[in-house]
Structure formats: structure tokens, C-alpha cells
């Protein structure tokens, strides 16, 4: 075992005298103290100091005689305070509880009604639980709203007309199923009048007109006409004006009368039809066969 | 104690009885430490009362079978620290880490009452040294427990104790030579 230097030993003496050193180091310090008068003197002083603190005659000589009486008086005061608070339990007494507190909260306000044992609903649903519940609920609502907004933006304001048509068809179908886009016959009529169109008759391909609502595709304004087939699957027919034609021209180059663009996206077929005077754009999205698309296109263009 | 005993629920009475039996026996130790930590008997009583009321408030958080004394001391240390922070915020020039100033301001005539001068020497220590000395030497908490109560690393407990002891020895020797 290496001989320890006095400097090292003296740094460890405080811990040694409290018996907090590990056994090996403790033994080395003890060995050193046996042979070193100077260190042993300092150790003796530390040990004497410990005795002063642990003995009632030392550091507490001035307070020990009255300590028990004072402690009893404090206990009585605390008991009385607790009893009076229990007798006047206020529903508001727990409102200053905070989730952000560390292990213990701020000092109890002397003027406020103090905390007592929770009663009634607070016994089963403590304020902290309710706060956590509210936090979770707020997070869920906020996340849903953000997701919903993002979905709407993604569907109606991003991408090209063809891609946007597929997205809008999907999103509007979901919202329609939730009943958000259901319109009354009067509202449908008013919107068709506003766009100065009539709902194309697509009964030749088994599609029945359901309703119309206003919509955006790639930021351009469209009327979204919703049809249902025999299997209750939604087929969307979109009608856009001059703004939509300009947008299509930007993305597809030259657009001649009766140009038909077709895009296959999974089992979804999207067709854009530019009508003869180039002032109107019809787009169709849904699960349709090429033959059905052809019939729909003809129906629209012949109008 | 007032004559009129407030009406309480049986469950509250059981809870209070449980609280009293486990907590009130530690009040003398809390008071003793509080007096030496803050140096003023009236303030110490206020601190202990505050500690007990807070312990009552959070009695549901106390786990039966664990060290109630350590739990109470931890609450009290927290109360003292918050008060100290409040005092320093109000009067930052009266820093508690200046031993001479602390002695003059807070110990008043108590020094003369201590025949051995140990209390006076303790009062001269900076508060962070005084509290660690009280917890380990007087209340015999382990370094680990003191570390948890004061929210400082074990190494800091050790170094503060070592430094506190050296300062105590210096003050006591100086006191003895002045008396002589």
C-alpha cells in the first residue's frame, strides 16, 4: 500500500471523521494517522468539533432548555390551523397547485385559505389530473386542427391541376362522407346559377348527381359537382372558368379546344376537358373505365 | 388552543392523526436546526411552522415507510432557501454569503449566551457551509441524504464540509486567543 502524503490525508480528514470514506481509503488514512503527529492533531480537532455539535451542551446550549416547549407550541399552532382549515374547506383551496413546481411548491400564502384534504369530485379527480387531461385534450384538438388545415392546403392549394384534382377528389369525398359538404337543393341551385352551368346528365354511365360545392384546385376556383355510381362510389366533376384555363395553360402549354388530358393515379383516372370556346374547363376524377371517361367527356363537350 | 373544536370528517381526523404521530416528534430537531440556520428564534419558529403546514399540504405525497425526518428536513431546507432568495431579492446588498454581515444583522445578543463560542463561530460561517454542517454533524444525515436535500453533488457536500470545519476551527481558535 502506498504511503499517503499529509496534503492528501488532510483533504480526506473531514470525510474520514464522518466515516464516509470507502474502506480501502479509510484504512490508508488510519495508517497514516498512526505515524503522523500533525495530521493526527488535525483529526483530533475535527473529532472534537463533531462532539461539540452532537452534544447538547455545545452549539445548542442557548436553545436546548426551551426547545421542547417551543416545539410543542408550534405543533399546537399547526394542529389548530389545520383543524380550522379542514372545517372551512374551500373549493378554491387547491387552485394554486402547479405542474411546473419542482419537488415542493412555493411558500403557503398566510392570507389564503390553506389546503385541506380534497373532498367530493376533487378526491377522485385531483386538479393535477384535470389539468393533465385538459392539456392532452388541447393538444389533440390543436394537432387535429393543424392536420386538418394542412390537409385542406395540400388538397386545394398545392401541386398541378391534375394532381390537385386527385387530392381534392379524395379530401372532398372524405369530408362529404362526414356530411360537411352536403348541400340543400336550394343551395345547389344557387351555386349552379352562380357558375352559370347545369349539372351534366351522366346517367348514361350510371352516375347520379348529388350536389355541388365551391372548391379550389391548385389555387384556382372550381365548382365541385359530386356524383355517385351504382356502388355508391363518388365521382367528382369539377368546373372551372377562365382562371382555371390560364392555370392549365401555364402547366400544360398549348390548350386547344376539346383538348383532353388524362392522368392515371392508382386506380383513379383523372381527365381534364377543355371545352370548345376555351373559356371553361371541366375535369373528372373517379374510378372510371376509359369507356366511361369517353362517355362522360362527350356528355360534357356536347353541352 | 381554542375551546371550540372545528368539525372535521372522520377521514380527515384519521389523516391528521397519522400526520401528527409521524411528524410532530421531529419538530424539536427541525426547530434546533432552523435556529442555527437562520439565527433568529422567532424566524426559526415561523420556518418550522411553515414547514409543517407544507408537509400537511403534501402529506399524500409522503410514502409510508420512507424516512419522514429526511422528508421534513428537505421541505425545511426548501423553505429556508426560498426565504433567503426572497431576502436577497429585496436587499441584494445584504448578501447571506458574507459571514460578518450575517452575524451582525441576524444574531443579535445570542452570541453572548453561548459560553463555548461554538454558536458564534457557526454563525460566522456562510449559510451554505452552515447548513451542510448542521445536516451532517448535528442531524447525522449521510452525505448522500444531505446531497439530495440541498440538491448539490456529493463532492460539493464533501468540500463544503471540509471548508466549514477548517473555518470553524479558525474562528474557535481566534475566539479562544481573544478570550485569553
Amino acid at each position: 500500500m502506498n504511503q499517503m502524503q499529509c496534503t492528501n490525508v488532510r483533504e480526506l480528514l473531514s470525510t474520514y471523521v464522518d466515516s464516509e470514506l470507502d474502506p480501502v481509503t479509510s484504512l490508508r488514512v488510519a495508517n497514516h494517522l498512526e505515524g503522523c503527529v500533525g495530521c493526527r492533531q488535525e483529526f483530533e480537532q475535527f473529532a472534537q468539533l463533531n462532539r461539540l455539535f452532537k452534544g447538547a451542551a455545545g452549539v445548542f446550549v442557548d436553545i436546548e432548555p426551551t426547545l421542547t416547549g417551543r416545539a410543542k407550541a408550534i405543533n399546537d399552532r399547526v394542529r389548530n390551523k389545520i383543524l380550522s382549515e379542514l372545517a372551512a374547506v374551500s373549493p378554491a383551496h387547491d387552485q394554486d397547485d402547479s405542474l411546473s413546481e419542482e419537488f415542493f411548491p412555493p411558500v403557503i400564502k398566510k392570507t389564503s385559505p390553506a389546503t385541506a384534504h380534497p373532498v367530493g369530485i376533487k378526491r377522485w379527480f385531483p386538479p393535477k389530473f384535470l389539468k393533465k387531461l385538459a392539456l392532452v385534450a388541447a393538444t389533440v384538438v390543436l394537432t387535429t386542427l393543424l392536420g386538418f388545415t394542412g390537409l385542406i392546403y395540400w388538397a386545394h392549394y398545392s401541386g398541378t391541376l391534375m394532381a390537385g384534382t386527385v387530392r381534392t377528389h379524395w379530401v372532398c369525398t372524405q369530408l362529404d362522407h362526414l356530411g360537411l359538404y352536403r348541400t340543400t337543393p336550394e343551395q345547389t341551385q344557387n351555386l349552379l346559377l352562380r357558375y352559370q352551368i347545369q349539372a351534366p346528365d351522366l346517367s348514361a354511365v350510371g352516375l347520379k348527381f348529388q350536389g355541388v360545392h365551391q372548391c379550389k384546385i391548385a389555387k384556382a376556383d372550381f365548382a365541385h359537382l359530386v356524383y355517385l355510381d351504382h356502388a355508391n362510389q363518388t365521382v367528382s366533376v369539377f368546373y372551372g372558368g377562365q382562371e382555371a384555363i390560364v392555370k392549365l395553360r401555364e402547366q400544360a402549354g398549348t390548350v386547344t379546344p376539346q383538348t383532353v388530358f388524362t392522368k392515371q393515379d392508382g386506380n383513379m383516372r383523372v381527365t381534364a376537358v377543355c371545352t370548345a370556346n376555351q373559356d371553361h374547363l371541366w375535369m373528372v376524377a373517379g374510378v372510371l373505365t376509359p369507356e366511361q371517361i369517353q362517355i362522360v367527356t362527350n356528355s360534357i363537350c356536347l353541352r | 388552543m381554542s375551546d371550540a373544536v372545528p368539525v372535521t370528517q372522520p377521514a380527515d381526523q384519521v389523516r391528521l392523526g397519522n400526520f401528527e404521530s409521524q411528524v410532530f416528534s421531529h419538530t424539536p430537531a427541525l426547530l434546533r436546526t432552523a435556529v442555527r440556520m437562520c439565527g433568529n428564534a422567532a424566524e426559526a419558529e415561523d420556518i418550522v411552522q411553515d414547514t409543517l403546514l407544507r408537509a400537511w399540504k403534501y402529506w399524500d405525497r409522503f410514502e409510508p415507510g420512507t424516512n419522514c425526518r429526511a422528508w421534513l428536513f428537505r421541505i425545511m431546507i426548501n423553505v429556508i432557501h426560498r426565504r433567503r432568495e426572497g431576502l436577497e431579492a429585496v436587499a441584494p446588498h445584504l448578501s447571506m454569503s458574507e459571514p460578518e454581515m450575517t452575524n451582525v444583522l441576524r444574531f443579535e445578543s445570542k452570541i453572548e449566551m453561548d459560553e463555548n463560542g461554538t454558536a458564534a463561530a457557526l454563525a460566522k460561517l456562510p449559510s451554505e457551509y452552515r447548513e451542510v454542517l448542521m445536516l451532517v454533524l448535528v442531524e447525522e444525515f449521510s452525505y448522500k441524504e444531505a446531497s439530495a436535500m440541498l440538491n448539490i453533488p456529493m463532492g460539493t457536500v464533501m468540500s463544503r464540509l471540509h471548508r466549514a470545519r477548517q473555518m470553524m476551527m479558525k474562528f474557535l481558535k481566534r475566539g479562544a486567543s481573544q478570550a485569553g
Side-chain angles (χ1 to χ4, degrees):
Chain A
M1 191 179 292
N2 293 332
Q3 193 69 29
M4 293 182 84
Q5 299 294 317
C6 289
T7 322
N8 299 333
V9 170
R10 290 189 184 193
E11 280 176 6
L12 295 171
L13 274 184
S14 173
T15 316
Y16 175 75
V17 84
D18 291 329
S19 307
E20 290 266 0
L21 278 180
D22 65 89
V24 175
T25 315
S26 185
L27 189 63
R28 291 174 68 189
V29 172
N31 286 339
H32 179 91
L33 291 178
E34 274 182 22
C36 178
V37 178
C39 289
R40 199 161 61 240
Q41 273 181 346
E42 188 159 334
F43 166 72
E44 285 300 334
Q45 287 176 345
F46 278 6
Q48 190 185 350
L49 194 64
N50 272 21
R51 286 193 291 276
L52 269 178
F53 273 91
K54 282 167 187 168
V59 72
F60 302 115
V61 68
D62 56 334
I63 54 175
E64 280 298 336
T66 58
L67 197 64
T68 312
R70 285 182 183 183
K72 189 178 178 308
I74 292 172
N75 287 345
D76 287 344
R77 284 203 298 273
V78 169
R79 184 187 296 108
N80 283 346
K81 204 168 167 62
I82 290 171
L83 282 172
S84 58
E85 283 163 3
L86 284 176
V89 173
S90 156
H93 77 281
D94 267 343
Q95 284 180 357
D96 62 344
D97 266 355
S98 167
L99 286 173
S100 64
E101 288 169 10
E102 305 156 8
F103 187 76
F104 296 111
V107 179
I108 296 167
K109 296 179 187 70
K110 287 181 182 172
T111 53
S112 69
T115 301
H117 196 46
V119 295
I121 194 168
K122 286 190 176 180
R123 188 185 291 272
W124 307 108
F125 299 104
K128 284 197 172 180
F129 170 77
L130 292 176
K131 279 184 183 176
K132 278 182 186 170
L133 195 66
L135 198 65
V136 170
T139 309
V140 169
V141 169
L142 197 64
T143 310
T144 308
L145 282 175
L146 282 174
F148 194 71
T149 310
L151 198 65
I152 297 287
Y153 183 86
W154 170 74
H156 296 317
Y157 293 92
S158 64
T160 61
L161 272 179
M162 300 299 273
T165 302
V166 178
R167 293 172 188 175
T168 303
H169 166 76
W170 183 81
V171 169
C172 288
T173 301
Q174 308 309 315
L175 296 178
D176 192 48
H177 286 161
L178 294 173
L180 296 177
Y181 280 159
R182 300 272 161 81
T183 50
T184 62
E186 191 182 355
Q187 287 170 325
T188 300
Q189 200 57 41
N190 286 341
L191 200 60
L192 290 174
L193 277 173
R194 185 176 151 195
Y195 280 91
Q196 297 181 328
I197 56 170
Q198 286 184 333
D201 180 11
L202 303 179
S203 55
V205 286
L207 296 176
K208 190 179 173 188
F209 178 63
Q210 295 296 307
V212 62
H213 62 262
Q214 204 172 353
C215 216
K216 290 269 186 190
I217 301 175
K219 298 179 188 171
D221 192 30
F222 277 89
H224 184 173
L225 293 83
V226 179
Y227 288 79
L228 285 183
D229 66 8
H230 294 305
N232 228 22
Q233 293 288 315
T234 305
V235 172
S236 296
V237 176
F238 297 94
Y239 169 79
Q242 187 63 38
E243 184 190 13
I245 288 284
V246 170
K247 186 74 73 177
L248 185 67
R249 195 169 280 130
E250 283 172 9
Q251 294 173 0
T254 310
V255 178
T256 55
Q258 295 193 18
T259 306
V260 176
F261 300 90
T262 302
K263 176 182 166 67
Q264 184 81 26
D265 191 335
N267 63 351
M268 184 88 69
R269 188 176 293 275
V270 183
T271 297
V273 181
C274 183
T275 50
N277 60 10
Q278 295 194 42
D279 281 343
H280 312 290
L281 179 68
W282 290 87
M283 302 186 78
V284 183
V287 182
L288 295 167
T289 62
E291 292 74 28
Q292 284 175 316
I293 284 284
Q294 188 61 50
I295 296 168
V296 170
T297 306
N298 289 340
S299 300
I300 291 169
C301 292
L302 287 172
R303 292 176 69 252
Chain B
M1 200 170 174
S2 62
D3 294 336
V5 179
V7 180
T8 54
Q9 299 290 324
D12 290 331
Q13 287 172 0
V14 171
R15 187 170 178 257
L16 180 58
N18 188 24
F19 175 78
E20 286 186 13
S21 66
Q22 293 194 59
V23 169
F24 281 4
S25 59
H26 300 296
T27 308
L30 290 169
L31 183 60
R32 188 168 51 204
T33 303
V35 169
R36 279 294 165 260
M37 279 195 183
C38 72
N40 179 306
E43 191 185 350
E45 286 186 17
D46 206 22
I47 285 169
V48 174
Q49 183 172 320
D50 209 353
T51 301
L52 297 184
L53 286 172
R54 199 180 291 203
W56 167 253
K57 185 177 182 179
Y58 295 97
W59 185 237
D60 290 338
R61 294 192 197 175
F62 175 69
E63 294 173 22
T66 57
N67 190 342
C68 186
R69 195 171 73 100
W71 186 67
L72 291 169
F73 268 86
R74 188 167 180 185
I75 298 176
M76 190 171 78
I77 297 286
N78 200 272
V79 169
I80 292 172
H81 283 185
R82 283 182 189 276
R83 282 176 178 241
R84 193 181 294 155
E85 283 162 14
L87 189 72
E88 285 175 1
V90 173
H93 58 286
L94 300 180
S95 170
M96 296 295 287
S97 60
E98 294 174 31
E100 297 301 327
M101 183 66 83
T102 306
N103 185 30
V104 171
L105 282 177
R106 303 174 70 84
F107 266 77
E108 302 161 357
S109 60
K110 288 251 182 311
I111 300 163
E112 291 85 50
M113 293 170 68
D114 182 3
E115 293 171 3
N116 296 326
T118 321
L122 182 65
K124 289 180 184 175
L125 289 183
S127 54
E128 61 267 28
Y129 290 167
R130 195 163 59 234
E131 62 192 14
V132 75
L133 213 55
M134 289 296 298
L135 290 176
V136 175
L137 265 63
V138 180
E139 298 305 330
E140 299 183 333
F141 286 114
S142 68
Y143 283 13
K144 192 178 173 185
E145 286 172 321
S147 157
M149 280 180 207
L150 298 168
N151 201 22
I152 54 175
M154 282 260 283
T156 310
V157 172
M158 289 161 76
S159 61
R160 281 187 186 176
L161 268 174
H162 184 71
R163 183 85 184 109
R165 280 187 164 112
Q166 285 182 327
M167 289 174 80
M168 279 294 290
M169 298 310 302
K170 194 174 86 178
F171 293 146
L172 287 170
K173 281 176 187 171
R174 191 187 296 167
S177 65
Q178 283 171 357

